């Protein structure tokens, strides 16, 4: 299974990036044998991203990473009650069915709990519009719930730790179901489309 970590924060160091890495680490502990790839949208060439130059090599590689992934864990800070414009610019490059057949776990961080619904009202509709097979319940955390220490690393508030555990368990269960679904698809017999019957006049 291929798991893509898609970071939509414009900052090189952020609570969003730390939450994304934390969830990936917990998933790796819970469900082994997967291949992880990370795409930080901020690292893509700005001109190519904003001008939708899909012929650019870096953009091509990022889009290919999405295409090849079975699971996408997508993380964004909340700006102006929505996900970042940086992430929107990248999602706009995906084809209409760019998340078809994929499991998606959305993550978001913000300054207060008042932005919590941005996951459901802003990001989730876009993920469904891109034809994601299953969008799991999102995980939202405030900056105060994710405290970084240079020595001990990330300290996660207990409430968020529970949400992360539930999200990871849900994703692990969905991954198991996804494997079964892929196996069924591979074994399903090919049925040729029925040709229309032409009636004599």
């Amino acid at each position: 299974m291929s798991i893509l970590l898609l970071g939509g924060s414009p900052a090189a160091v952020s609570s969003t990036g730390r939450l994304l890495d934390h969830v990936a680490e917990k998933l790796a502990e819970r469900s082994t044998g997967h291949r992880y790839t990370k795409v930080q949208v901020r690292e893509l060439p700005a001109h190519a991203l904003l001008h939708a130059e899909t012929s650019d090599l870096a953009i091509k590689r990022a889009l290919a990473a999405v295409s090849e992934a079975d699971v996408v864990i997508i993380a964004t800070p909340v700006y102006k009650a929505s996900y970042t414009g940086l992430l929107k610019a990248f999602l706009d490059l995906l084809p209409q069915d760019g998340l078809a057949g994929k499991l998606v776990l959305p993550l978001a961080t913000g300054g207060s709990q008042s932005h919590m619904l941005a996951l459901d009202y802003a990001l989730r509709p876009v993920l469904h519009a891109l034809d994601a097979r299953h969008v799991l319940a999102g995980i939202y955390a405030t900056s105060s719930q994710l405290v970084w220490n240079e020595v001990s690393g990330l300290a996660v508030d207990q409430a968020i730790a529970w949400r992360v555990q539930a999200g990871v368990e849900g994703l692990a269960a969905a991954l198991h179901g996804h494997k079964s679904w892929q196996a069924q698809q591979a074994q399903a017999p090919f049925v040729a489309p029925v040709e229309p019957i032409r009636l004599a006049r």
Side-chain angles (χ1 to χ4, degrees):
M1 283 293 198
S2 176
I3 298 174
L4 173 65
L5 309 177
L6 181 59
S9 174
V13 178
S14 66
S15 296
T16 305
R18 287 169 179 155
L19 178 60
L20 180 61
D21 290 341
H22 178 70
V23 171
E25 289 169 6
K26 293 299 180 183
L27 179 60
E29 293 171 3
R30 175 66 174 76
S31 183
T32 60
H34 305 304
R35 179 171 61 87
Y36 289 82
T37 304
K38 181 183 284 188
V39 170
Q40 295 286 7
V41 180
R42 69 174 180 275
E43 295 176 357
L44 298 176
H47 186 278
L49 181 64
L50 294 177
H51 289 81
E53 295 177 359
T54 54
S55 60
D56 178 90
L57 183 58
I59 298 293
K60 273 186 175 181
R61 287 173 176 166
L63 294 177
V66 176
S67 177
E68 294 165 5
D70 300 298
V71 177
V72 179
I73 304 177
I74 182 171
T76 178
V78 175
Y79 291 162
K80 304 295 188 296
S82 185
Y83 58 100
T84 61
L86 184 69
L87 180 58
K88 180 67 163 66
F90 180 72
L91 294 178
D92 283 346
L93 299 182
L94 297 177
Q96 188 63 43
D97 59 349
L99 295 177
K102 304 183 189 305
L103 305 170
V104 182
L105 175 61
L107 315 174
T109 61
S112 72
Q113 293 290 346
S114 61
H115 297 303
M116 184 175 185
L117 294 179
L119 274 173
D120 289 330
Y121 290 103
L123 183 55
R124 183 175 292 271
V126 176
L127 301 177
H128 282 297
L130 290 168
D131 207 21
R133 186 172 76 87
H134 181 41
V135 181
L136 285 81
I139 300 171
Y140 177 86
T142 64
S143 300
S144 62
Q145 293 174 313
L146 303 168
V147 179
W148 178 259
N149 183 287
E150 292 296 338
V151 176
S152 57
L154 183 66
V156 180
D157 181 85
Q158 187 60 54
I160 300 305
W162 287 337
R163 293 292 302 274
V164 168
Q165 181 180 349
V168 165
E169 289 178 355
L171 188 53
L175 276 169
H176 179 73
H178 190 63
K179 287 180 182 178
S180 300
W181 176 77
Q182 285 185 321
Q184 290 174 2
Q185 293 296 106
Q187 295 173 4
F190 173 74
V191 179
V194 178
E195 292 292 333
I197 299 174
R198 297 183 180 276
L199 300 176
R201 294 184 179 181

